[in-house]
Amino acid sequence: MSYHIPKTQVAAVVPGRNQSVVIQHDFPVTQPSELKPGQCLVKMIGTGVCHTDLHVSRWDWPIEPVTPLVGGHEGVGEVVAIAAHTEASPVKLGQRVGIKWIAYSCGDCEQCRQGLEQNCVSAKLSGCTVNGTFSQYVVSWVHIVTPIPEGFDSFAAASVLCAGVTVYRALKYSDARIGHWVVIPGAGGGLGHLAVQYAVAMGMRVVAIDTGAEKKKLCLELGAEKWVDFKQTTNLVSAIKEACDGLGPHAAVVTSPYSEGYTQAVDYLRPGGTLMAVGMPGDAKFETSIFWTVVKNISIKGSYVGNRQDSIEAIEIAASGKVKVIYALKGLSDLGQVYNDLQKGNVAGRIVLDSSK
Ligand code: 8ID
Ligand code: ZN
């Protein structure tokens, strides 16, 4: 099998710092002969837009992105070339695969050996330190891409590769178990709406925190038992405690992109509870009571995307129908508008871009 690989492609590009996204029709395509052993070329089908892409495009974070920046890190496509001298490729030409935030991890360093591939000393980040999925052809690595099960919608699968994996792992490490209350600030957003469903699938009881009628409806339809609107609730701490037997939730998985989603978590968590930090405001600090963190035996844990195994588990659960990605489909050329909508908090669920448009 061999494919015609064009020399140029359409890509949504941020040319540099303080610049807006532009649609470029002549962005170069890496040719199969230019791939290094272990690499593959993936022809994109679709890609989700994560709030991380917005953070990166605004230089919000202490990580310096490549420029011109082709963002995007949750995409699905077809393998159309595998580099010469690639040994024991686990994926084949023509296979559908997913690209995630961790574009590359070495597999050999201490962090990789322990399953913390996210913290690999040589990690490359899709759509940040290497070109990402807001384009039609992406260079990836055969040992890192995630195989997509047959029959699973490519556009839905795309958003599992960041949003889904991230919240699935955060819940897995939250110590919450069947029957426990989990509160999810940001529940109506891209990560949050999947967190609601993974938590329900794991047997947990969910309190969704977000704002507006559309997100309320979405969260309750997806299985949240209770809803708290953070803009309309004057005493969030007592509202959340009350929603969870008067004692508060066993865990909070905070997916809000701003520090406001974090500030009251230690106050409303049940003694012994766990705060899973997932949302990533660039320069905020935890503002929380050390005294009550100690006295209530609160655990605070960061959770950063997931490794290859987490990704496969998250994909298989979603492919089985237990978790549904709620998305609106747009084209690559709509990325600028999607960033505006995300910034304003206007996106319920996810926006996925069709790479052919
Ligand atoms: O590996 C990770 N930890 C990881 C992976 C992927 C994404 C972290 N993230 C980070 C992103 O960089 C971003 O900071 O998670 C955050 C959320 O990403 P997202 O889900 O893609 O964003 P979104 O779709 O805009 O959803 C955010 C939701 O938060 C709500 C908004 O209304 C929106 O629905 N929200 C806000 I803004 N403030 C809130 C508050 N104070 C809040 N919800 C509750 N309380
Ligand atoms: Zn993401």
Side-chain angles (χ1 to χ4, degrees), residues 49-52 55 61 73 162 166 185-192 209-211 215 230 255-258 260-261 277-281 303-305 342 345 347 349-350:
V49 186
C50 179
H51 210 108
T52 288
H55 287 305
W61 285 355
H73 58 272
C162 178
T166 300
L191 268 63
I209 313 182
D210 212 309
T211 190
K215 290 179 183 171
F230 72 88
T255 66
S256 141
Y258 303 112
E260 287 79 358
V278 172
M280 295 169 76
S303 191
Y304 183 39
V305 288
L342 271 179
V347 179
R350 208 43 145 192

mmCIF file of all heavy atoms in Angstrom, residues 49-52 55 61 73 162 166 185-192 209-211 215 230 255-258 260-261 277-281 303-305 342 345 347 349-350, ligand 1:
data_model
loop_
_atom_site.group_PDB
_atom_site.id
_atom_site.type_symbol
_atom_site.label_atom_id
_atom_site.label_comp_id
_atom_site.label_asym_id
_atom_site.label_seq_id
_atom_site.Cartn_x
_atom_site.Cartn_y
_atom_site.Cartn_z
ATOM 1 N N VAL A 49 -10.444 20.576 20.042
ATOM 2 C CA VAL A 49 -9.766 21.805 20.493
ATOM 3 C C VAL A 49 -9.881 21.854 22.008
ATOM 4 O O VAL A 49 -10.974 21.899 22.566
ATOM 5 C CB VAL A 49 -10.409 23.072 19.889
ATOM 6 C CG1 VAL A 49 -9.582 24.304 20.281
ATOM 7 C CG2 VAL A 49 -10.534 22.951 18.382
ATOM 8 N N CYS A 50 -8.727 21.826 22.657
ATOM 9 C CA CYS A 50 -8.653 21.786 24.117
ATOM 10 C C CYS A 50 -8.317 23.189 24.627
ATOM 11 O O CYS A 50 -7.653 23.965 23.930
ATOM 12 C CB CYS A 50 -7.542 20.799 24.482
ATOM 13 S SG CYS A 50 -7.240 20.595 26.238
ATOM 14 N N HIS A 51 -8.726 23.493 25.843
ATOM 15 C CA HIS A 51 -8.378 24.808 26.411
ATOM 16 C C HIS A 51 -6.855 24.961 26.516
ATOM 17 O O HIS A 51 -6.330 26.067 26.475
ATOM 18 C CB HIS A 51 -9.029 24.963 27.792
ATOM 19 C CG HIS A 51 -9.360 26.375 28.132
ATOM 20 N ND1 HIS A 51 -10.630 26.887 28.168
ATOM 21 C CD2 HIS A 51 -8.539 27.428 28.442
ATOM 22 C CE1 HIS A 51 -10.594 28.171 28.493
ATOM 23 N NE2 HIS A 51 -9.323 28.518 28.665
ATOM 24 N N THR A 52 -6.149 23.835 26.594
ATOM 25 C CA THR A 52 -4.681 23.871 26.578
ATOM 26 C C THR A 52 -4.170 24.571 25.315
ATOM 27 O O THR A 52 -3.211 25.341 25.367
ATOM 28 C CB THR A 52 -4.130 22.419 26.641
ATOM 29 O OG1 THR A 52 -4.356 21.932 27.953
ATOM 30 C CG2 THR A 52 -2.653 22.347 26.307
ATOM 31 N N HIS A 55 -4.374 28.166 25.934
ATOM 32 C CA HIS A 55 -3.281 28.599 26.839
ATOM 33 C C HIS A 55 -1.969 28.719 26.049
ATOM 34 O O HIS A 55 -1.250 29.703 26.165
ATOM 35 C CB HIS A 55 -3.049 27.565 27.945
ATOM 36 C CG HIS A 55 -4.097 27.484 29.023
ATOM 37 N ND1 HIS A 55 -4.502 28.555 29.774
ATOM 38 C CD2 HIS A 55 -4.786 26.411 29.525
ATOM 39 C CE1 HIS A 55 -5.406 28.152 30.681
ATOM 40 N NE2 HIS A 55 -5.597 26.852 30.538
ATOM 41 N N TRP A 61 1.635 29.882 29.530
ATOM 42 C CA TRP A 61 2.345 28.919 30.384
ATOM 43 C C TRP A 61 3.854 29.136 30.391
ATOM 44 O O TRP A 61 4.405 29.712 29.447
ATOM 45 C CB TRP A 61 2.070 27.499 29.868
ATOM 46 C CG TRP A 61 0.717 26.975 30.168
ATOM 47 C CD1 TRP A 61 -0.258 27.567 30.917
ATOM 48 C CD2 TRP A 61 0.178 25.723 29.712
ATOM 49 N NE1 TRP A 61 -1.376 26.774 30.958
ATOM 50 C CE2 TRP A 61 -1.132 25.624 30.226
ATOM 51 C CE3 TRP A 61 0.661 24.677 28.927
ATOM 52 C CZ2 TRP A 61 -1.956 24.533 29.995
ATOM 53 C CZ3 TRP A 61 -0.153 23.592 28.694
ATOM 54 C CH2 TRP A 61 -1.443 23.508 29.219
ATOM 55 N N HIS A 73 -3.604 18.712 19.960
ATOM 56 C CA HIS A 73 -2.965 17.535 20.566
ATOM 57 C C HIS A 73 -3.971 16.443 20.896
ATOM 58 O O HIS A 73 -3.698 15.604 21.748
ATOM 59 C CB HIS A 73 -2.192 17.957 21.823
ATOM 60 C CG HIS A 73 -3.100 18.616 22.828
ATOM 61 N ND1 HIS A 73 -3.357 19.966 22.817
ATOM 62 C CD2 HIS A 73 -3.828 18.109 23.835
ATOM 63 C CE1 HIS A 73 -4.193 20.255 23.785
ATOM 64 N NE2 HIS A 73 -4.514 19.135 24.415
ATOM 65 N N CYS A 162 -7.098 13.553 24.698
ATOM 66 C CA CYS A 162 -6.583 14.448 25.750
ATOM 67 C C CYS A 162 -7.621 14.549 26.861
ATOM 68 O O CYS A 162 -7.393 14.112 27.976
ATOM 69 C CB CYS A 162 -6.223 15.835 25.231
ATOM 70 S SG CYS A 162 -5.665 16.859 26.616
ATOM 71 N N THR A 166 -7.130 12.378 30.318
ATOM 72 C CA THR A 166 -6.733 13.201 31.472
ATOM 73 C C THR A 166 -7.683 13.002 32.649
ATOM 74 O O THR A 166 -7.252 12.782 33.783
ATOM 75 C CB THR A 166 -6.703 14.689 31.055
ATOM 76 O OG1 THR A 166 -5.763 14.835 29.991
ATOM 77 C CG2 THR A 166 -6.308 15.574 32.220
ATOM 78 N N PRO A 185 -15.538 20.762 39.329
ATOM 79 C CA PRO A 185 -15.606 22.143 38.844
ATOM 80 C C PRO A 185 -15.155 22.182 37.380
ATOM 81 O O PRO A 185 -14.114 21.619 37.039
ATOM 82 C CB PRO A 185 -14.602 22.892 39.746
ATOM 83 C CG PRO A 185 -14.372 21.992 40.927
ATOM 84 C CD PRO A 185 -14.539 20.590 40.404
ATOM 85 N N GLY A 186 -15.967 22.800 36.520
ATOM 86 C CA GLY A 186 -15.681 22.813 35.079
ATOM 87 C C GLY A 186 -16.412 21.696 34.360
ATOM 88 O O GLY A 186 -16.095 21.360 33.217
ATOM 89 N N ALA A 187 -17.440 21.131 35.022
ATOM 90 C CA ALA A 187 -18.106 19.917 34.529
ATOM 91 C C ALA A 187 -18.767 20.053 33.155
ATOM 92 O O ALA A 187 -18.958 19.060 32.456
ATOM 93 C CB ALA A 187 -19.156 19.461 35.540
ATOM 94 N N GLY A 188 -19.105 21.284 32.751
ATOM 95 C CA GLY A 188 -19.778 21.443 31.455
ATOM 96 C C GLY A 188 -18.814 21.616 30.294
ATOM 97 O O GLY A 188 -19.223 21.692 29.144
ATOM 98 N N GLY A 189 -17.509 21.670 30.583
ATOM 99 C CA GLY A 189 -16.516 21.904 29.530
ATOM 100 C C GLY A 189 -16.038 20.613 28.893
ATOM 101 O O GLY A 189 -16.619 19.535 29.077
ATOM 102 N N GLY A 190 -14.947 20.735 28.115
ATOM 103 C CA GLY A 190 -14.418 19.598 27.368
ATOM 104 C C GLY A 190 -13.980 18.463 28.285
ATOM 105 O O GLY A 190 -14.404 17.311 28.120
ATOM 106 N N LEU A 191 -13.119 18.772 29.245
ATOM 107 C CA LEU A 191 -12.674 17.722 30.167
ATOM 108 C C LEU A 191 -13.812 17.312 31.096
ATOM 109 O O LEU A 191 -14.056 16.130 31.346
ATOM 110 C CB LEU A 191 -11.479 18.213 31.015
ATOM 111 C CG LEU A 191 -10.088 17.929 30.455
ATOM 112 C CD1 LEU A 191 -9.863 18.644 29.136
ATOM 113 C CD2 LEU A 191 -9.001 18.292 31.448
ATOM 114 N N GLY A 192 -14.495 18.344 31.622
ATOM 115 C CA GLY A 192 -15.494 18.110 32.657
ATOM 116 C C GLY A 192 -16.609 17.173 32.243
ATOM 117 O O GLY A 192 -16.995 16.278 32.995
ATOM 118 N N ILE A 209 -20.116 21.260 38.925
ATOM 119 C CA ILE A 209 -20.072 22.715 39.138
ATOM 120 C C ILE A 209 -19.697 23.376 37.817
ATOM 121 O O ILE A 209 -18.669 23.042 37.220
ATOM 122 C CB ILE A 209 -19.008 23.153 40.174
ATOM 123 C CG1 ILE A 209 -19.054 22.321 41.433
ATOM 124 C CG2 ILE A 209 -19.138 24.642 40.491
ATOM 125 C CD1 ILE A 209 -18.050 22.765 42.497
ATOM 126 N N ASP A 210 -20.531 24.290 37.372
ATOM 127 C CA ASP A 210 -20.227 25.095 36.186
ATOM 128 C C ASP A 210 -21.302 26.174 36.136
ATOM 129 O O ASP A 210 -21.938 26.445 37.179
ATOM 130 C CB ASP A 210 -20.172 24.242 34.904
ATOM 131 C CG ASP A 210 -19.163 24.812 33.895
ATOM 132 O OD1 ASP A 210 -19.242 26.023 33.613
ATOM 133 O OD2 ASP A 210 -18.321 24.068 33.392
ATOM 134 N N THR A 211 -21.504 26.775 34.994
ATOM 135 C CA THR A 211 -22.508 27.841 34.945
ATOM 136 C C THR A 211 -23.348 27.777 33.670
ATOM 137 O O THR A 211 -22.852 27.311 32.631
ATOM 138 C CB THR A 211 -21.842 29.231 35.098
ATOM 139 O OG1 THR A 211 -22.863 30.208 35.283
ATOM 140 C CG2 THR A 211 -20.996 29.602 33.888
ATOM 141 N N LYS A 215 -25.046 24.097 30.074
ATOM 142 C CA LYS A 215 -24.108 23.183 30.743
ATOM 143 C C LYS A 215 -24.809 22.394 31.851
ATOM 144 O O LYS A 215 -24.497 21.226 32.086
ATOM 145 C CB LYS A 215 -22.902 23.955 31.268
ATOM 146 C CG LYS A 215 -22.014 24.459 30.130
ATOM 147 C CD LYS A 215 -20.804 25.249 30.596
ATOM 148 C CE LYS A 215 -20.043 25.770 29.382
ATOM 149 N NZ LYS A 215 -18.972 26.714 29.730
ATOM 150 N N PHE A 230 -21.707 28.046 39.746
ATOM 151 C CA PHE A 230 -20.737 28.816 40.544
ATOM 152 C C PHE A 230 -20.977 30.322 40.471
ATOM 153 O O PHE A 230 -20.538 31.057 41.344
ATOM 154 C CB PHE A 230 -19.287 28.458 40.156
ATOM 155 C CG PHE A 230 -18.823 28.959 38.811
ATOM 156 C CD1 PHE A 230 -18.245 30.223 38.667
ATOM 157 C CD2 PHE A 230 -18.937 28.151 37.675
ATOM 158 C CE1 PHE A 230 -17.810 30.671 37.423
ATOM 159 C CE2 PHE A 230 -18.501 28.600 36.430
ATOM 160 C CZ PHE A 230 -17.943 29.859 36.298
ATOM 161 N N THR A 255 -11.300 20.886 36.935
ATOM 162 C CA THR A 255 -10.956 21.043 35.511
ATOM 163 C C THR A 255 -11.145 22.486 35.044
ATOM 164 O O THR A 255 -11.091 22.757 33.847
ATOM 165 C CB THR A 255 -11.799 20.104 34.611
ATOM 166 O OG1 THR A 255 -13.175 20.515 34.671
ATOM 167 C CG2 THR A 255 -11.693 18.658 35.037
ATOM 168 N N SER A 256 -11.342 23.393 35.975
ATOM 169 C CA SER A 256 -11.509 24.787 35.569
ATOM 170 C C SER A 256 -10.152 25.389 35.169
ATOM 171 O O SER A 256 -9.140 25.119 35.811
ATOM 172 C CB SER A 256 -12.137 25.562 36.731
ATOM 173 O OG SER A 256 -11.577 26.819 36.836
ATOM 174 N N PRO A 257 -10.125 26.186 34.098
ATOM 175 C CA PRO A 257 -8.829 26.732 33.643
ATOM 176 C C PRO A 257 -8.321 27.911 34.467
ATOM 177 O O PRO A 257 -7.247 28.425 34.191
ATOM 178 C CB PRO A 257 -9.125 27.171 32.200
ATOM 179 C CG PRO A 257 -10.601 27.233 32.070
ATOM 180 C CD PRO A 257 -11.240 26.490 33.197
ATOM 181 N N TYR A 258 -9.082 28.359 35.454
ATOM 182 C CA TYR A 258 -8.647 29.501 36.278
ATOM 183 C C TYR A 258 -8.575 29.074 37.737
ATOM 184 O O TYR A 258 -9.239 28.127 38.162
ATOM 185 C CB TYR A 258 -9.615 30.674 36.128
ATOM 186 C CG TYR A 258 -9.766 31.116 34.695
ATOM 187 C CD1 TYR A 258 -10.961 30.943 34.014
ATOM 188 C CD2 TYR A 258 -8.690 31.689 34.015
ATOM 189 C CE1 TYR A 258 -11.087 31.329 32.681
ATOM 190 C CE2 TYR A 258 -8.799 32.074 32.689
ATOM 191 C CZ TYR A 258 -10.002 31.891 32.025
ATOM 192 O OH TYR A 258 -10.116 32.256 30.719
ATOM 193 N N GLU A 260 -9.897 30.252 40.282
ATOM 194 C CA GLU A 260 -11.147 30.343 41.054
ATOM 195 C C GLU A 260 -11.774 28.969 41.295
ATOM 196 O O GLU A 260 -12.411 28.746 42.311
ATOM 197 C CB GLU A 260 -12.182 31.224 40.335
ATOM 198 C CG GLU A 260 -11.879 32.711 40.355
ATOM 199 C CD GLU A 260 -10.832 33.139 39.334
ATOM 200 O OE1 GLU A 260 -10.288 32.271 38.617
ATOM 201 O OE2 GLU A 260 -10.549 34.345 39.272
ATOM 202 N N GLY A 261 -11.589 28.069 40.372
ATOM 203 C CA GLY A 261 -12.160 26.727 40.537
ATOM 204 C C GLY A 261 -11.500 25.946 41.672
ATOM 205 O O GLY A 261 -12.031 24.928 42.122
ATOM 206 N N ALA A 277 -5.710 18.133 40.996
ATOM 207 C CA ALA A 277 -5.475 19.360 40.232
ATOM 208 C C ALA A 277 -5.279 18.999 38.767
ATOM 209 O O ALA A 277 -4.325 18.297 38.408
ATOM 210 C CB ALA A 277 -4.250 20.076 40.766
ATOM 211 N N VAL A 278 -6.201 19.458 37.916
ATOM 212 C CA VAL A 278 -6.160 19.126 36.490
ATOM 213 C C VAL A 278 -6.134 20.403 35.627
ATOM 214 O O VAL A 278 -5.310 20.544 34.733
ATOM 215 C CB VAL A 278 -7.361 18.225 36.111
ATOM 216 C CG1 VAL A 278 -7.441 18.024 34.604
ATOM 217 C CG2 VAL A 278 -7.252 16.870 36.808
ATOM 218 N N GLY A 279 -7.032 21.351 35.912
ATOM 219 C CA GLY A 279 -7.040 22.631 35.191
ATOM 220 C C GLY A 279 -5.720 23.353 35.428
ATOM 221 O O GLY A 279 -5.142 23.251 36.505
ATOM 222 N N MET A 280 -5.228 24.063 34.405
ATOM 223 C CA MET A 280 -3.854 24.591 34.459
ATOM 224 C C MET A 280 -3.732 26.082 34.186
ATOM 225 O O MET A 280 -3.184 26.493 33.161
ATOM 226 C CB MET A 280 -2.988 23.816 33.456
ATOM 227 C CG MET A 280 -2.833 22.365 33.819
ATOM 228 S SD MET A 280 -2.092 21.407 32.493
ATOM 229 C CE MET A 280 -0.391 21.910 32.631
ATOM 230 N N PRO A 281 -4.208 26.910 35.139
ATOM 231 C CA PRO A 281 -3.926 28.340 34.999
ATOM 232 C C PRO A 281 -2.413 28.537 35.025
ATOM 233 O O PRO A 281 -1.720 27.884 35.817
ATOM 234 C CB PRO A 281 -4.598 28.956 36.234
ATOM 235 C CG PRO A 281 -4.833 27.836 37.191
ATOM 236 C CD PRO A 281 -4.910 26.575 36.391
ATOM 237 N N SER A 303 -2.346 15.975 38.382
ATOM 238 C CA SER A 303 -2.524 14.858 37.446
ATOM 239 C C SER A 303 -2.397 15.374 36.024
ATOM 240 O O SER A 303 -3.184 16.215 35.582
ATOM 241 C CB SER A 303 -3.879 14.183 37.664
ATOM 242 O OG SER A 303 -3.927 12.966 36.951
ATOM 243 N N TYR A 304 -1.391 14.880 35.325
ATOM 244 C CA TYR A 304 -0.989 15.416 34.029
ATOM 245 C C TYR A 304 -1.264 14.351 32.957
ATOM 246 O O TYR A 304 -0.649 13.267 32.986
ATOM 247 C CB TYR A 304 0.498 15.745 34.126
ATOM 248 C CG TYR A 304 1.151 16.393 32.932
ATOM 249 C CD1 TYR A 304 0.510 17.371 32.180
ATOM 250 C CD2 TYR A 304 2.463 16.056 32.597
ATOM 251 C CE1 TYR A 304 1.159 17.979 31.113
ATOM 252 C CE2 TYR A 304 3.116 16.662 31.536
ATOM 253 C CZ TYR A 304 2.458 17.618 30.785
ATOM 254 O OH TYR A 304 3.108 18.219 29.741
ATOM 255 N N VAL A 305 -2.156 14.651 32.055
ATOM 256 C CA VAL A 305 -2.623 13.740 30.996
ATOM 257 C C VAL A 305 -2.572 12.265 31.427
ATOM 258 O O VAL A 305 -3.114 11.912 32.478
ATOM 259 C CB VAL A 305 -1.925 14.012 29.629
ATOM 260 C CG1 VAL A 305 -2.455 15.314 29.039
ATOM 261 C CG2 VAL A 305 -0.402 14.069 29.722
ATOM 262 N N LEU A 342 -14.105 29.533 23.430
ATOM 263 C CA LEU A 342 -13.553 28.878 24.628
ATOM 264 C C LEU A 342 -13.190 29.923 25.683
ATOM 265 O O LEU A 342 -13.452 29.752 26.870
ATOM 266 C CB LEU A 342 -12.276 28.106 24.274
ATOM 267 C CG LEU A 342 -12.398 26.657 23.824
ATOM 268 C CD1 LEU A 342 -11.020 26.103 23.497
ATOM 269 C CD2 LEU A 342 -13.080 25.776 24.873
ATOM 270 N N GLY A 345 -16.072 31.044 27.552
ATOM 271 C CA GLY A 345 -16.785 29.994 28.300
ATOM 272 C C GLY A 345 -18.055 29.555 27.591
ATOM 273 O O GLY A 345 -18.989 29.051 28.226
ATOM 274 N N VAL A 347 -18.439 27.189 25.263
ATOM 275 C CA VAL A 347 -18.449 25.842 24.666
ATOM 276 C C VAL A 347 -18.918 24.813 25.702
ATOM 277 O O VAL A 347 -18.249 24.599 26.707
ATOM 278 C CB VAL A 347 -17.048 25.462 24.135
ATOM 279 C CG1 VAL A 347 -17.065 24.061 23.536
ATOM 280 C CG2 VAL A 347 -16.551 26.480 23.118
ATOM 281 N N GLY A 349 -19.338 20.960 26.358
ATOM 282 C CA GLY A 349 -18.729 19.775 25.732
ATOM 283 C C GLY A 349 -17.503 20.214 24.948
ATOM 284 O O GLY A 349 -16.760 21.090 25.381
ATOM 285 N N ARG A 350 -17.327 19.658 23.749
ATOM 286 C CA ARG A 350 -16.108 19.899 22.977
ATOM 287 C C ARG A 350 -16.419 20.428 21.584
ATOM 288 O O ARG A 350 -17.500 20.144 21.045
ATOM 289 C CB ARG A 350 -15.391 18.555 22.828
ATOM 290 C CG ARG A 350 -13.905 18.529 22.683
ATOM 291 C CD ARG A 350 -13.112 19.411 23.553
ATOM 292 N NE ARG A 350 -11.837 18.854 23.974
ATOM 293 C CZ ARG A 350 -11.106 19.388 24.930
ATOM 294 N NH1 ARG A 350 -11.504 20.480 25.548
ATOM 295 N NH2 ARG A 350 -9.958 18.850 25.282
HETATM 296 O O1 8ID B 1 -3.071 17.112 31.923
HETATM 297 C C1 8ID B 1 -3.830 17.957 32.371
HETATM 298 N N1 8ID B 1 -3.903 18.201 33.661
HETATM 299 C C2 8ID B 1 -4.713 18.704 31.425
HETATM 300 C C3 8ID B 1 -5.054 18.148 30.176
HETATM 301 C C4 8ID B 1 -5.909 18.866 29.345
HETATM 302 C C5 8ID B 1 -6.377 20.114 29.735
HETATM 303 C C6 8ID B 1 -5.180 19.944 31.775
HETATM 304 N N2 8ID B 1 -5.981 20.616 30.931
HETATM 305 C C7 8ID B 1 -6.457 21.930 31.396
HETATM 306 C C8 8ID B 1 -6.570 22.993 30.330
HETATM 307 O O2 8ID B 1 -5.300 23.524 30.015
HETATM 308 C C9 8ID B 1 -7.491 23.966 31.047
HETATM 309 O O3 8ID B 1 -6.749 24.745 31.977
HETATM 310 O O4 8ID B 1 -7.765 21.778 31.891
HETATM 311 C C10 8ID B 1 -8.438 23.044 31.810
HETATM 312 C C11 8ID B 1 -9.804 22.838 31.194
HETATM 313 O O5 8ID B 1 -9.684 22.449 29.847
HETATM 314 P P1 8ID B 1 -11.011 22.264 28.943
HETATM 315 O O6 8ID B 1 -11.928 21.318 29.574
HETATM 316 O O7 8ID B 1 -10.528 22.023 27.561
HETATM 317 O O8 8ID B 1 -11.643 23.747 29.046
HETATM 318 P P2 8ID B 1 -13.153 24.235 28.740
HETATM 319 O O9 8ID B 1 -13.804 23.351 27.746
HETATM 320 O O10 8ID B 1 -13.042 25.684 28.478
HETATM 321 O O11 8ID B 1 -13.898 23.983 30.136
HETATM 322 C C12 8ID B 1 -13.638 24.706 31.289
HETATM 323 C C13 8ID B 1 -14.927 24.865 32.072
HETATM 324 O O12 8ID B 1 -14.618 25.494 33.327
HETATM 325 C C14 8ID B 1 -15.733 26.311 33.669
HETATM 326 C C15 8ID B 1 -16.129 26.925 32.338
HETATM 327 O O13 8ID B 1 -17.460 27.427 32.370
HETATM 328 C C16 8ID B 1 -15.961 25.754 31.382
HETATM 329 O O14 8ID B 1 -17.175 25.016 31.195
HETATM 330 N N3 8ID B 1 -15.334 27.192 34.771
HETATM 331 C C17 8ID B 1 -14.666 28.362 34.804
HETATM 332 I I1 8ID B 1 -13.994 29.378 33.256
HETATM 333 N N4 8ID B 1 -14.505 28.864 36.046
HETATM 334 C C18 8ID B 1 -15.091 27.963 36.853
HETATM 335 C C19 8ID B 1 -15.264 27.930 38.263
HETATM 336 N N5 8ID B 1 -14.808 28.909 39.056
HETATM 337 C C20 8ID B 1 -15.602 26.900 36.071
HETATM 338 N N6 8ID B 1 -16.237 25.860 36.626
HETATM 339 C C21 8ID B 1 -16.364 25.858 37.979
HETATM 340 N N7 8ID B 1 -15.903 26.849 38.781
#
